[in-house]
Amino acid sequence: MAQTDLMNTLAELAAELARHDALYYAQATPEIEDADYDALRRRYDELADELGLAEADRYTSGVGDDHVDGFTTVAHVVPMLSLEKVYSREEIEDFANRLRRLLSDELALDFVVEPKIDGMSVALWYEGGRLQRALTRGNGRQGDDITAQVRESGCAPLELPNTAGLVEIRGEIYLPREAFLALNERLLSTGSKALVNPRNACAGLMKRKNAEELRGLGIRSFLYAIARAEGQEVPQYQHQRLQWLVARGCQVHPDTTRLSGVEAVYAFAQAYPERRSGLDHDIDGLVIKLNDTAWYDELGATSHHPRYGVAWKFPSEQLPTTLQEVIVQVGKSGKLTPVAVLDPVFISGSTVSRASLHNWSEIRRKDLQLGDRVLVQKAGEIIPQVVAVIAEGRDGSQRPIAEPSACPSCGTTPVVQDLFHFCPNPACPAQLRERLRHFASKGAMDIDGCGPAVIEAVVSQLGVASPADLFRLQPQQLAGLERMGAKSAENLRKALDAAKGRGLARVLAGLSIPNCGVVMAEALAEHFGSAQALLDTAQAYQAGDQALVESLTPKTGNGPISGLGRTTALSIFSALAAPQLRQVLADLEAVGVDLSQQQAAVGSRVAAVADKAFVLTGTLPTLDRAEASARIKAAGGRVVSAVSKKTDYVVAGESAGSKLSKAEQLGVSILDEAGLLALLAADA
Ligand code: IVH
């Protein structure tokens, strides 16, 4: 295939991945199995590798970052990648064959198989045997500093006896099931909400700013890798490394097993699920690693996965339950979604009592009936799904599931489009509520204190019927609502005023325009700069202005607005050309909402600075830290706190200390303030 054809295929694969990510993460209605998604991802990665596509230009689902505001991010010296997943015997064989092909036909297939703990990965840096720093995975390149949390929780050794130099150990922090249940009991007894599963609970706990609260909660870790050792000999084989860790007081998973050959590994993987319920913690698979770590560097990694190991995923747990009822949910665009109400059943860490059935054609395809015994699973261990009817469970008492003949909220007769039913009434109260909820949500206008319950109350009790109405609410009115005191009413009013200045991109993202999420909204706001310019273009585009269509969305190649092709453009611009939406925007402007483009976080990227990692140290003559940092970020750079080989520049001022000497030692470029300013001005 020609290069351009390959690029087109790559773009199609990326679009397909993006669609599935949106279905999975945003709408919680995946269409494909995890294994199929992974296969798609693999095809994309392989093709991207083949085309030599730079990391920065690749599609990412944008969900892989555990960073929490307020935590210091530190660059990982060795990136924290993830493992490629395998689901079948053939895939384990492929892995073994690949090892032999890359290393030697005679390679001993000596593996170490470890349970894959479902917790939170951590990098522990020890210097002279003392814990210096603990980092989360973050985005794989830089993680959050959770040293205090690790220290206080006591989940990993603070000292490694008989250890010199710098040793970085990787492992997984987890909350044992008992500790999780005890924590939940305590939460419930104090009127707080229970946490869904041990993994989320653990991740939440380890990001508590007040680290002392973690004492005595029973948080623990299993350690499983030595990522770096400088000035300390460590054994060559993984099984010996684990013994080395055990000898130093680290917890290593007791079911870790050394196995020879694919046959033995597969048999172990088949038999292991039996032991799962006997563990005091959740695991989501097994990790299969080549025992001889001397090969690891030679094998290297793809952009996402090291080649020395793979993760064997257990088939997701499927359990029977009864389908009691199907309720119809009205979405913000009027889409009617059938939702199964199930007898509660505990699966992979939490109780499932509802599952989206997506649409009525799906219900027919699965031949679901009310009262059926059904098998339920969690896709990706997260999203509940009804897998199939258990045919033997039919006893004649089952009743068919009718397609909706009226919108459950306003009674309007639904229209069917593609596979979906829609309520066509734009004034439908349920749609209005959903749209307002979305408008106020974090991803859109981020109106603090304006969650679903408040939206429900202002719609039903104060007659709010449009986004602009929200901004007209007065504290006296709000204070009259149930469970809203004078203070919260004041705060909500303040939050509304603050939200007025969020800018065009957030407003657009909040309007529930099909095909216009945050990223697209930002691209449009950036390109057009004001609502008026955007609306004018929308009208002309929708009216078929050929020159405009060609310039914004050329038939071949990319147009000026990233991600905007003809279909999306037509969908977004016709929505924006419609009188209803124009009115919504005019009303918002009238109540003082800023409809101009905000200064984006990234001002104008400066090539010399973009994607580079900076460390600031010491006092600069004129710029303070915050200002220097803001200017670097505005130019597209990153500011990290620790100096490593990955640091591009250290900006040093007066009385710079250890960071400066570290930079010198590692040969990292050092700048003074003038040097930084010159760099920032480089291509201005
Ligand atoms: S080895 C490239 N061993 O599973 C990462 N990982 O996708 C190599 N995990 O991010 C890690 N138990 O957080 C390894 N025994 C184990 C593990 C394990 C859990 C997690 C880890 C990693 C993910 C792999």
Side-chain angles (χ1 to χ4, degrees), residues 31-64:
E31 276 178 15
I32 58 174
E33 295 286 328
D34 286 6
D36 295 334
Y37 178 88
D38 290 331
L40 196 64
R41 178 82 233 186
R42 225 161 15 226
R43 273 177 62 204
Y44 177 85
D45 284 337
E46 279 164 14
L47 189 55
D49 285 344
E50 195 179 323
L51 290 164
L53 205 65
E55 185 62 47
D57 296 325
R58 292 188 188 205
Y59 172 77
T60 57
S61 46
V63 288

PDB file of all heavy atoms in Angstrom, residues 31-64:
ATOM      1  N   GLU A  31     -19.557  -1.044  22.619  1.00  0.00           N
ATOM      2  CA  GLU A  31     -20.151  -1.905  21.599  1.00  0.00           C
ATOM      3  C   GLU A  31     -19.342  -3.169  21.379  1.00  0.00           C
ATOM      4  O   GLU A  31     -19.822  -4.117  20.788  1.00  0.00           O
ATOM      5  CB  GLU A  31     -20.183  -1.158  20.259  1.00  0.00           C
ATOM      6  CG  GLU A  31     -21.353  -0.253  20.087  1.00  0.00           C
ATOM      7  CD  GLU A  31     -21.283   0.474  18.747  1.00  0.00           C
ATOM      8  OE1 GLU A  31     -20.505   0.061  17.864  1.00  0.00           O
ATOM      9  OE2 GLU A  31     -22.004   1.455  18.624  1.00  0.00           O
ATOM     10  N   ILE A  32     -18.064  -3.121  21.763  1.00  0.00           N
ATOM     11  CA  ILE A  32     -17.222  -4.290  21.498  1.00  0.00           C
ATOM     12  C   ILE A  32     -16.585  -4.810  22.778  1.00  0.00           C
ATOM     13  O   ILE A  32     -16.482  -4.104  23.771  1.00  0.00           O
ATOM     14  CB  ILE A  32     -16.118  -3.989  20.450  1.00  0.00           C
ATOM     15  CG1 ILE A  32     -15.243  -2.827  20.909  1.00  0.00           C
ATOM     16  CG2 ILE A  32     -16.708  -3.728  19.088  1.00  0.00           C
ATOM     17  CD1 ILE A  32     -14.046  -2.568  20.006  1.00  0.00           C
ATOM     18  N   GLU A  33     -16.161  -6.070  22.711  1.00  0.00           N
ATOM     19  CA  GLU A  33     -15.499  -6.705  23.849  1.00  0.00           C
ATOM     20  C   GLU A  33     -14.106  -6.095  24.032  1.00  0.00           C
ATOM     21  O   GLU A  33     -13.508  -5.614  23.077  1.00  0.00           O
ATOM     22  CB  GLU A  33     -15.324  -8.197  23.585  1.00  0.00           C
ATOM     23  CG  GLU A  33     -16.614  -8.968  23.489  1.00  0.00           C
ATOM     24  CD  GLU A  33     -17.267  -9.164  24.859  1.00  0.00           C
ATOM     25  OE1 GLU A  33     -16.523  -9.277  25.860  1.00  0.00           O
ATOM     26  OE2 GLU A  33     -18.501  -9.181  24.909  1.00  0.00           O
ATOM     27  N   ASP A  34     -13.593  -6.204  25.250  1.00  0.00           N
ATOM     28  CA  ASP A  34     -12.253  -5.696  25.542  1.00  0.00           C
ATOM     29  C   ASP A  34     -11.207  -6.253  24.586  1.00  0.00           C
ATOM     30  O   ASP A  34     -10.332  -5.545  24.110  1.00  0.00           O
ATOM     31  CB  ASP A  34     -11.816  -6.114  26.946  1.00  0.00           C
ATOM     32  CG  ASP A  34     -12.539  -5.312  27.993  1.00  0.00           C
ATOM     33  OD1 ASP A  34     -13.435  -4.548  27.612  1.00  0.00           O
ATOM     34  OD2 ASP A  34     -12.196  -5.461  29.170  1.00  0.00           O
ATOM     35  N   ALA A  35     -11.314  -7.564  24.336  1.00  0.00           N
ATOM     36  CA  ALA A  35     -10.300  -8.219  23.508  1.00  0.00           C
ATOM     37  C   ALA A  35     -10.302  -7.615  22.103  1.00  0.00           C
ATOM     38  O   ALA A  35      -9.249  -7.418  21.498  1.00  0.00           O
ATOM     39  CB  ALA A  35     -10.565  -9.713  23.443  1.00  0.00           C
ATOM     40  N   ASP A  36     -11.493  -7.311  21.596  1.00  0.00           N
ATOM     41  CA  ASP A  36     -11.574  -6.713  20.262  1.00  0.00           C
ATOM     42  C   ASP A  36     -11.001  -5.297  20.265  1.00  0.00           C
ATOM     43  O   ASP A  36     -10.337  -4.864  19.331  1.00  0.00           O
ATOM     44  CB  ASP A  36     -13.021  -6.670  19.774  1.00  0.00           C
ATOM     45  CG  ASP A  36     -13.557  -8.074  19.585  1.00  0.00           C
ATOM     46  OD1 ASP A  36     -12.736  -8.981  19.350  1.00  0.00           O
ATOM     47  OD2 ASP A  36     -14.773  -8.268  19.706  1.00  0.00           O
ATOM     48  N   TYR A  37     -11.272  -4.579  21.358  1.00  0.00           N
ATOM     49  CA  TYR A  37     -10.718  -3.239  21.472  1.00  0.00           C
ATOM     50  C   TYR A  37      -9.192  -3.309  21.470  1.00  0.00           C
ATOM     51  O   TYR A  37      -8.514  -2.559  20.769  1.00  0.00           O
ATOM     52  CB  TYR A  37     -11.202  -2.550  22.753  1.00  0.00           C
ATOM     53  CG  TYR A  37     -10.601  -1.171  22.922  1.00  0.00           C
ATOM     54  CD1 TYR A  37     -11.215  -0.063  22.368  1.00  0.00           C
ATOM     55  CD2 TYR A  37      -9.397  -0.991  23.588  1.00  0.00           C
ATOM     56  CE1 TYR A  37     -10.645   1.199  22.476  1.00  0.00           C
ATOM     57  CE2 TYR A  37      -8.814   0.263  23.703  1.00  0.00           C
ATOM     58  CZ  TYR A  37      -9.449   1.350  23.152  1.00  0.00           C
ATOM     59  OH  TYR A  37      -8.868   2.587  23.262  1.00  0.00           O
ATOM     60  N   ASP A  38      -8.670  -4.260  22.263  1.00  0.00           N
ATOM     61  CA  ASP A  38      -7.215  -4.388  22.339  1.00  0.00           C
ATOM     62  C   ASP A  38      -6.613  -4.759  20.991  1.00  0.00           C
ATOM     63  O   ASP A  38      -5.531  -4.296  20.628  1.00  0.00           O
ATOM     64  CB  ASP A  38      -6.815  -5.416  23.396  1.00  0.00           C
ATOM     65  CG  ASP A  38      -7.110  -4.889  24.794  1.00  0.00           C
ATOM     66  OD1 ASP A  38      -7.070  -3.658  24.974  1.00  0.00           O
ATOM     67  OD2 ASP A  38      -7.395  -5.693  25.687  1.00  0.00           O
ATOM     68  N   ALA A  39      -7.322  -5.597  20.239  1.00  0.00           N
ATOM     69  CA  ALA A  39      -6.828  -5.996  18.920  1.00  0.00           C
ATOM     70  C   ALA A  39      -6.763  -4.767  18.001  1.00  0.00           C
ATOM     71  O   ALA A  39      -5.811  -4.575  17.245  1.00  0.00           O
ATOM     72  CB  ALA A  39      -7.723  -7.067  18.321  1.00  0.00           C
ATOM     73  N   LEU A  40      -7.782  -3.940  18.101  1.00  0.00           N
ATOM     74  CA  LEU A  40      -7.840  -2.718  17.304  1.00  0.00           C
ATOM     75  C   LEU A  40      -6.672  -1.800  17.679  1.00  0.00           C
ATOM     76  O   LEU A  40      -5.981  -1.249  16.827  1.00  0.00           O
ATOM     77  CB  LEU A  40      -9.166  -2.022  17.607  1.00  0.00           C
ATOM     78  CG  LEU A  40      -9.656  -0.948  16.669  1.00  0.00           C
ATOM     79  CD1 LEU A  40      -9.941  -1.542  15.310  1.00  0.00           C
ATOM     80  CD2 LEU A  40     -10.931  -0.307  17.228  1.00  0.00           C
ATOM     81  N   ARG A  41      -6.478  -1.674  18.992  1.00  0.00           N
ATOM     82  CA  ARG A  41      -5.390  -0.843  19.495  1.00  0.00           C
ATOM     83  C   ARG A  41      -4.042  -1.370  18.969  1.00  0.00           C
ATOM     84  O   ARG A  41      -3.168  -0.619  18.580  1.00  0.00           O
ATOM     85  CB  ARG A  41      -5.433  -0.897  21.032  1.00  0.00           C
ATOM     86  CG  ARG A  41      -4.350  -0.139  21.746  1.00  0.00           C
ATOM     87  CD  ARG A  41      -4.684   1.325  21.858  1.00  0.00           C
ATOM     88  NE  ARG A  41      -3.594   2.138  21.353  1.00  0.00           N
ATOM     89  CZ  ARG A  41      -3.552   3.465  21.425  1.00  0.00           C
ATOM     90  NH1 ARG A  41      -4.559   4.138  21.929  1.00  0.00           N
ATOM     91  NH2 ARG A  41      -2.532   4.125  20.967  1.00  0.00           N
ATOM     92  N   ARG A  42      -3.926  -2.697  18.942  1.00  0.00           N
ATOM     93  CA  ARG A  42      -2.688  -3.308  18.497  1.00  0.00           C
ATOM     94  C   ARG A  42      -2.433  -3.006  17.020  1.00  0.00           C
ATOM     95  O   ARG A  42      -1.334  -2.668  16.618  1.00  0.00           O
ATOM     96  CB  ARG A  42      -2.730  -4.815  18.722  1.00  0.00           C
ATOM     97  CG  ARG A  42      -1.456  -5.303  19.320  1.00  0.00           C
ATOM     98  CD  ARG A  42      -1.484  -6.632  20.000  1.00  0.00           C
ATOM     99  NE  ARG A  42      -2.621  -7.469  19.747  1.00  0.00           N
ATOM    100  CZ  ARG A  42      -3.268  -8.112  20.714  1.00  0.00           C
ATOM    101  NH1 ARG A  42      -2.903  -7.973  21.956  1.00  0.00           N
ATOM    102  NH2 ARG A  42      -4.274  -8.893  20.420  1.00  0.00           N
ATOM    103  N   ARG A  43      -3.501  -3.144  16.222  1.00  0.00           N
ATOM    104  CA  ARG A  43      -3.348  -2.841  14.794  1.00  0.00           C
ATOM    105  C   ARG A  43      -2.882  -1.411  14.614  1.00  0.00           C
ATOM    106  O   ARG A  43      -2.030  -1.104  13.784  1.00  0.00           O
ATOM    107  CB  ARG A  43      -4.684  -3.037  14.063  1.00  0.00           C
ATOM    108  CG  ARG A  43      -4.879  -4.468  13.594  1.00  0.00           C
ATOM    109  CD  ARG A  43      -6.229  -4.639  12.960  1.00  0.00           C
ATOM    110  NE  ARG A  43      -6.435  -3.831  11.760  1.00  0.00           N
ATOM    111  CZ  ARG A  43      -7.631  -3.469  11.303  1.00  0.00           C
ATOM    112  NH1 ARG A  43      -8.712  -3.834  11.939  1.00  0.00           N
ATOM    113  NH2 ARG A  43      -7.730  -2.748  10.215  1.00  0.00           N
ATOM    114  N   TYR A  44      -3.485  -0.517  15.401  1.00  0.00           N
ATOM    115  CA  TYR A  44      -3.106   0.891  15.304  1.00  0.00           C
ATOM    116  C   TYR A  44      -1.629   1.076  15.654  1.00  0.00           C
ATOM    117  O   TYR A  44      -0.876   1.711  14.920  1.00  0.00           O
ATOM    118  CB  TYR A  44      -3.981   1.746  16.224  1.00  0.00           C
ATOM    119  CG  TYR A  44      -3.573   3.204  16.199  1.00  0.00           C
ATOM    120  CD1 TYR A  44      -4.064   4.067  15.226  1.00  0.00           C
ATOM    121  CD2 TYR A  44      -2.658   3.714  17.116  1.00  0.00           C
ATOM    122  CE1 TYR A  44      -3.663   5.387  15.168  1.00  0.00           C
ATOM    123  CE2 TYR A  44      -2.238   5.033  17.071  1.00  0.00           C
ATOM    124  CZ  TYR A  44      -2.753   5.870  16.095  1.00  0.00           C
ATOM    125  OH  TYR A  44      -2.345   7.174  16.047  1.00  0.00           O
ATOM    126  N   ASP A  45      -1.216   0.503  16.788  1.00  0.00           N
ATOM    127  CA  ASP A  45       0.167   0.669  17.241  1.00  0.00           C
ATOM    128  C   ASP A  45       1.158   0.104  16.229  1.00  0.00           C
ATOM    129  O   ASP A  45       2.200   0.709  15.961  1.00  0.00           O
ATOM    130  CB  ASP A  45       0.382  -0.009  18.596  1.00  0.00           C
ATOM    131  CG  ASP A  45      -0.223   0.806  19.723  1.00  0.00           C
ATOM    132  OD1 ASP A  45      -0.406   2.025  19.536  1.00  0.00           O
ATOM    133  OD2 ASP A  45      -0.519   0.226  20.779  1.00  0.00           O
ATOM    134  N   GLU A  46       0.812  -1.067  15.669  1.00  0.00           N
ATOM    135  CA  GLU A  46       1.726  -1.681  14.716  1.00  0.00           C
ATOM    136  C   GLU A  46       1.901  -0.805  13.477  1.00  0.00           C
ATOM    137  O   GLU A  46       3.006  -0.581  12.999  1.00  0.00           O
ATOM    138  CB  GLU A  46       1.219  -3.069  14.315  1.00  0.00           C
ATOM    139  CG  GLU A  46       1.578  -4.109  15.366  1.00  0.00           C
ATOM    140  CD  GLU A  46       0.782  -5.393  15.217  1.00  0.00           C
ATOM    141  OE1 GLU A  46       0.147  -5.576  14.140  1.00  0.00           O
ATOM    142  OE2 GLU A  46       0.788  -6.189  16.155  1.00  0.00           O
ATOM    143  N   LEU A  47       0.761  -0.319  12.996  1.00  0.00           N
ATOM    144  CA  LEU A  47       0.822   0.516  11.802  1.00  0.00           C
ATOM    145  C   LEU A  47       1.574   1.820  12.104  1.00  0.00           C
ATOM    146  O   LEU A  47       2.377   2.295  11.290  1.00  0.00           O
ATOM    147  CB  LEU A  47      -0.602   0.791  11.308  1.00  0.00           C
ATOM    148  CG  LEU A  47      -0.721   1.466   9.955  1.00  0.00           C
ATOM    149  CD1 LEU A  47       0.013   0.685   8.880  1.00  0.00           C
ATOM    150  CD2 LEU A  47      -2.199   1.592   9.571  1.00  0.00           C
ATOM    151  N   ALA A  48       1.301   2.375  13.293  1.00  0.00           N
ATOM    152  CA  ALA A  48       1.984   3.620  13.675  1.00  0.00           C
ATOM    153  C   ALA A  48       3.495   3.382  13.766  1.00  0.00           C
ATOM    154  O   ALA A  48       4.286   4.213  13.331  1.00  0.00           O
ATOM    155  CB  ALA A  48       1.445   4.141  15.007  1.00  0.00           C
ATOM    156  N   ASP A  49       3.872   2.210  14.314  1.00  0.00           N
ATOM    157  CA  ASP A  49       5.295   1.860  14.370  1.00  0.00           C
ATOM    158  C   ASP A  49       5.870   1.781  12.967  1.00  0.00           C
ATOM    159  O   ASP A  49       6.935   2.320  12.665  1.00  0.00           O
ATOM    160  CB  ASP A  49       5.503   0.498  15.043  1.00  0.00           C
ATOM    161  CG  ASP A  49       5.320   0.577  16.544  1.00  0.00           C
ATOM    162  OD1 ASP A  49       5.335   1.719  17.071  1.00  0.00           O
ATOM    163  OD2 ASP A  49       5.145  -0.469  17.187  1.00  0.00           O
ATOM    164  N   GLU A  50       5.123   1.099  12.098  1.00  0.00           N
ATOM    165  CA  GLU A  50       5.573   0.903  10.725  1.00  0.00           C
ATOM    166  C   GLU A  50       5.792   2.244  10.029  1.00  0.00           C
ATOM    167  O   GLU A  50       6.738   2.425   9.272  1.00  0.00           O
ATOM    168  CB  GLU A  50       4.508   0.090   9.986  1.00  0.00           C
ATOM    169  CG  GLU A  50       4.972  -0.501   8.685  1.00  0.00           C
ATOM    170  CD  GLU A  50       3.840  -1.313   8.052  1.00  0.00           C
ATOM    171  OE1 GLU A  50       3.079  -1.966   8.787  1.00  0.00           O
ATOM    172  OE2 GLU A  50       3.718  -1.257   6.814  1.00  0.00           O
ATOM    173  N   LEU A  51       4.896   3.170  10.334  1.00  0.00           N
ATOM    174  CA  LEU A  51       4.999   4.482   9.687  1.00  0.00           C
ATOM    175  C   LEU A  51       5.972   5.407  10.423  1.00  0.00           C
ATOM    176  O   LEU A  51       6.185   6.550  10.009  1.00  0.00           O
ATOM    177  CB  LEU A  51       3.621   5.131   9.631  1.00  0.00           C
ATOM    178  CG  LEU A  51       2.636   4.469   8.662  1.00  0.00           C
ATOM    179  CD1 LEU A  51       1.220   4.913   8.948  1.00  0.00           C
ATOM    180  CD2 LEU A  51       3.013   4.811   7.230  1.00  0.00           C
ATOM    181  N   GLY A  52       6.514   4.915  11.522  1.00  0.00           N
ATOM    182  CA  GLY A  52       7.476   5.724  12.279  1.00  0.00           C
ATOM    183  C   GLY A  52       6.844   6.966  12.889  1.00  0.00           C
ATOM    184  O   GLY A  52       7.485   8.007  13.026  1.00  0.00           O
ATOM    185  N   LEU A  53       5.576   6.860  13.261  1.00  0.00           N
ATOM    186  CA  LEU A  53       4.871   8.017  13.808  1.00  0.00           C
ATOM    187  C   LEU A  53       5.410   8.371  15.191  1.00  0.00           C
ATOM    188  O   LEU A  53       5.545   7.506  16.049  1.00  0.00           O
ATOM    189  CB  LEU A  53       3.384   7.655  13.923  1.00  0.00           C
ATOM    190  CG  LEU A  53       2.408   8.804  13.898  1.00  0.00           C
ATOM    191  CD1 LEU A  53       2.458   9.487  12.537  1.00  0.00           C
ATOM    192  CD2 LEU A  53       1.007   8.301  14.182  1.00  0.00           C
ATOM    193  N   ALA A  54       5.722   9.652  15.398  1.00  0.00           N
ATOM    194  CA  ALA A  54       6.262  10.080  16.687  1.00  0.00           C
ATOM    195  C   ALA A  54       5.202   9.896  17.768  1.00  0.00           C
ATOM    196  O   ALA A  54       4.005  10.022  17.510  1.00  0.00           O
ATOM    197  CB  ALA A  54       6.686  11.538  16.624  1.00  0.00           C
ATOM    198  N   GLU A  55       5.684   9.621  18.959  1.00  0.00           N
ATOM    199  CA  GLU A  55       4.816   9.415  20.119  1.00  0.00           C
ATOM    200  C   GLU A  55       3.766  10.535  20.249  1.00  0.00           C
ATOM    201  O   GLU A  55       2.580  10.281  20.423  1.00  0.00           O
ATOM    202  CB  GLU A  55       5.728   9.402  21.357  1.00  0.00           C
ATOM    203  CG  GLU A  55       5.048   9.076  22.656  1.00  0.00           C
ATOM    204  CD  GLU A  55       4.454   7.693  22.660  1.00  0.00           C
ATOM    205  OE1 GLU A  55       5.161   6.762  22.242  1.00  0.00           O
ATOM    206  OE2 GLU A  55       3.288   7.543  23.050  1.00  0.00           O
ATOM    207  N   ALA A  56       4.248  11.767  20.114  1.00  0.00           N
ATOM    208  CA  ALA A  56       3.367  12.908  20.343  1.00  0.00           C
ATOM    209  C   ALA A  56       2.240  12.987  19.322  1.00  0.00           C
ATOM    210  O   ALA A  56       1.208  13.611  19.560  1.00  0.00           O
ATOM    211  CB  ALA A  56       4.177  14.193  20.310  1.00  0.00           C
ATOM    212  N   ASP A  57       2.438  12.354  18.163  1.00  0.00           N
ATOM    213  CA  ASP A  57       1.420  12.438  17.114  1.00  0.00           C
ATOM    214  C   ASP A  57       0.443  11.280  17.141  1.00  0.00           C
ATOM    215  O   ASP A  57      -0.429  11.168  16.296  1.00  0.00           O
ATOM    216  CB  ASP A  57       2.092  12.473  15.744  1.00  0.00           C
ATOM    217  CG  ASP A  57       2.927  13.716  15.582  1.00  0.00           C
ATOM    218  OD1 ASP A  57       2.512  14.764  16.107  1.00  0.00           O
ATOM    219  OD2 ASP A  57       3.984  13.643  14.948  1.00  0.00           O
ATOM    220  N   ARG A  58       0.610  10.388  18.105  1.00  0.00           N
ATOM    221  CA  ARG A  58      -0.261   9.210  18.106  1.00  0.00           C
ATOM    222  C   ARG A  58      -1.557   9.458  18.854  1.00  0.00           C
ATOM    223  O   ARG A  58      -1.613  10.292  19.745  1.00  0.00           O
ATOM    224  CB  ARG A  58       0.461   8.034  18.777  1.00  0.00           C
ATOM    225  CG  ARG A  58       1.601   7.594  17.934  1.00  0.00           C
ATOM    226  CD  ARG A  58       2.189   6.341  18.471  1.00  0.00           C
ATOM    227  NE  ARG A  58       3.401   6.100  17.712  1.00  0.00           N
ATOM    228  CZ  ARG A  58       3.940   4.923  17.531  1.00  0.00           C
ATOM    229  NH1 ARG A  58       3.396   3.859  18.068  1.00  0.00           N
ATOM    230  NH2 ARG A  58       5.020   4.798  16.823  1.00  0.00           N
ATOM    231  N   TYR A  59      -2.524   8.676  18.492  1.00  0.00           N
ATOM    232  CA  TYR A  59      -3.802   8.759  19.187  1.00  0.00           C
ATOM    233  C   TYR A  59      -3.648   8.218  20.606  1.00  0.00           C
ATOM    234  O   TYR A  59      -3.060   7.168  20.820  1.00  0.00           O
ATOM    235  CB  TYR A  59      -4.851   7.937  18.433  1.00  0.00           C
ATOM    236  CG  TYR A  59      -6.136   7.828  19.215  1.00  0.00           C
ATOM    237  CD1 TYR A  59      -7.014   8.893  19.267  1.00  0.00           C
ATOM    238  CD2 TYR A  59      -6.425   6.682  19.947  1.00  0.00           C
ATOM    239  CE1 TYR A  59      -8.161   8.824  20.020  1.00  0.00           C
ATOM    240  CE2 TYR A  59      -7.567   6.609  20.714  1.00  0.00           C
ATOM    241  CZ  TYR A  59      -8.427   7.680  20.742  1.00  0.00           C
ATOM    242  OH  TYR A  59      -9.554   7.626  21.506  1.00  0.00           O
ATOM    243  N   THR A  60      -4.150   8.979  21.573  1.00  0.00           N
ATOM    244  CA  THR A  60      -4.224   8.419  22.925  1.00  0.00           C
ATOM    245  C   THR A  60      -5.648   8.616  23.404  1.00  0.00           C
ATOM    246  O   THR A  60      -6.315   9.575  23.020  1.00  0.00           O
ATOM    247  CB  THR A  60      -3.314   9.168  23.928  1.00  0.00           C
ATOM    248  OG1 THR A  60      -3.690  10.540  23.903  1.00  0.00           O
ATOM    249  CG2 THR A  60      -1.850   9.009  23.602  1.00  0.00           C
ATOM    250  N   SER A  61      -6.105   7.705  24.236  1.00  0.00           N
ATOM    251  CA  SER A  61      -7.485   7.845  24.707  1.00  0.00           C
ATOM    252  C   SER A  61      -7.577   8.965  25.740  1.00  0.00           C
ATOM    253  O   SER A  61      -8.649   9.365  26.132  1.00  0.00           O
ATOM    254  CB  SER A  61      -7.996   6.539  25.279  1.00  0.00           C
ATOM    255  OG  SER A  61      -7.028   5.990  26.121  1.00  0.00           O
ATOM    256  N   GLY A  62      -6.404   9.468  26.143  1.00  0.00           N
ATOM    257  CA  GLY A  62      -6.420  10.627  27.028  1.00  0.00           C
ATOM    258  C   GLY A  62      -6.963  10.330  28.415  1.00  0.00           C
ATOM    259  O   GLY A  62      -7.347  11.231  29.141  1.00  0.00           O
ATOM    260  N   VAL A  63      -7.002   9.064  28.787  1.00  0.00           N
ATOM    261  CA  VAL A  63      -7.536   8.754  30.108  1.00  0.00           C
ATOM    262  C   VAL A  63      -6.434   8.294  31.034  1.00  0.00           C
ATOM    263  O   VAL A  63      -6.640   8.150  32.219  1.00  0.00           O
ATOM    264  CB  VAL A  63      -8.601   7.658  30.054  1.00  0.00           C
ATOM    265  CG1 VAL A  63      -9.863   8.202  29.436  1.00  0.00           C
ATOM    266  CG2 VAL A  63      -8.096   6.464  29.299  1.00  0.00           C
ATOM    267  N   GLY A  64      -5.247   8.103  30.468  1.00  0.00           N
ATOM    268  CA  GLY A  64      -4.196   7.517  31.289  1.00  0.00           C
ATOM    269  C   GLY A  64      -3.415   8.529  32.086  1.00  0.00           C
ATOM    270  O   GLY A  64      -2.266   8.795  31.772  1.00  0.00           O
TER     271      GLY A  64
END
